Amino acid sequence: MIAGIVDKRGPKTRAETHDLNLRQAGLIGAVQGLCLPFRGFSRSGATISAGILAGVTKPRAETFSFALAVVLTPPVVARETMRLIQAEHVSGTANLASTIFSSLVGSILAFFVGLLALRWLSQWLEGGRWYLFGIYCLVAATAVAVLHHAGY
């Protein structure tokens, strides 16, 4: 949300660049790494915001952020799949098939919801309304926290 507010303010006081230098790429990568332990935290939003604050153009920050996600996502999925299988072996294999089926259904739904969220993210970014993504993240996080506290 901070990057959206800073970006929204009048004339640019910082030079924007289409190319990433090593410092900017390192900063964006570090933000990506810092976000990893926080499940549900928008790594794309955080890395795009870091890029914008570092002076990278919005389209370049978005492209670089998604490139990081493409590299990072498959190993994370593989690791989580192994954790799931190991957990099911401990508790018994009878539930493994239903757990895998539930996981696949959840993954497919998450994929389509993710596409929708990325479409909104891109529209807000390109339309100069990046701060709306920050508000969306805060509202979604609050809703999830309330549902979790209620036992869901």
Side-chain angles (χ1 to χ4, degrees), residues 19 25 29 112 121:
D19 295 326
F112 287 110
L121 182 146

Side-chain angles (χ1 to χ4, degrees), residues 6-133:
V6 168
D7 188 55
K8 192 106 174 116
R9 288 186 182 171
K12 304 286 184 211
T13 58
R14 57 188 165 73
E16 285 188 339
T17 179
H18 289 282
D19 295 326
L20 286 166
N21 61 39
L22 187 58
R23 182 187 67 77
Q24 292 166 322
L27 173 69
I28 294 168
V31 167
Q32 175 87 346
L34 290 172
C35 293
L36 285 176
F38 303 103
R39 293 183 178 178
F41 191 80
S42 176
R43 291 187 308 269
S44 295
T47 54
I48 291 169
S49 293
I52 291 170
L53 291 172
V56 179
T57 62
K58 289 183 266 190
R60 183 67 174 134
E62 181 181 23
T63 302
F64 188 70
S65 174
F66 293 147
L68 287 174
V70 167
V71 170
L72 185 67
T73 301
V76 171
V77 169
R79 185 187 71 145
E80 292 300 315
T81 301
M82 291 306 298
R83 281 183 34 174
L84 174 68
I85 291 170
Q86 289 171 353
E88 287 302 316
H89 280 301
V90 169
S91 66
T93 57
N95 292 329
L96 185 59
S98 66
T99 302
I100 289 174
F101 178 74
S102 299
S103 297
L104 286 175
V105 170
S107 296
I108 291 167
L109 291 173
F111 174 78
F112 287 110
V113 170
L115 285 178
L116 179 63
L118 290 176
R119 184 182 188 113
W120 283 340
L121 182 146
S122 293
Q123 287 175 347
W124 290 338
L125 181 64
E126 294 163 9
R129 298 169 300 179
W130 184 238
Y131 66 95
L132 290 176
F133 186 71

Side-chain angles (χ1 to χ4, degrees), residues 129-146:
R129 298 169 300 179
W130 184 238
Y131 66 95
L132 290 176
F133 186 71
I135 293 170
Y136 155 76
C137 287
L138 292 173
V139 169
T142 301
V144 168
V146 167

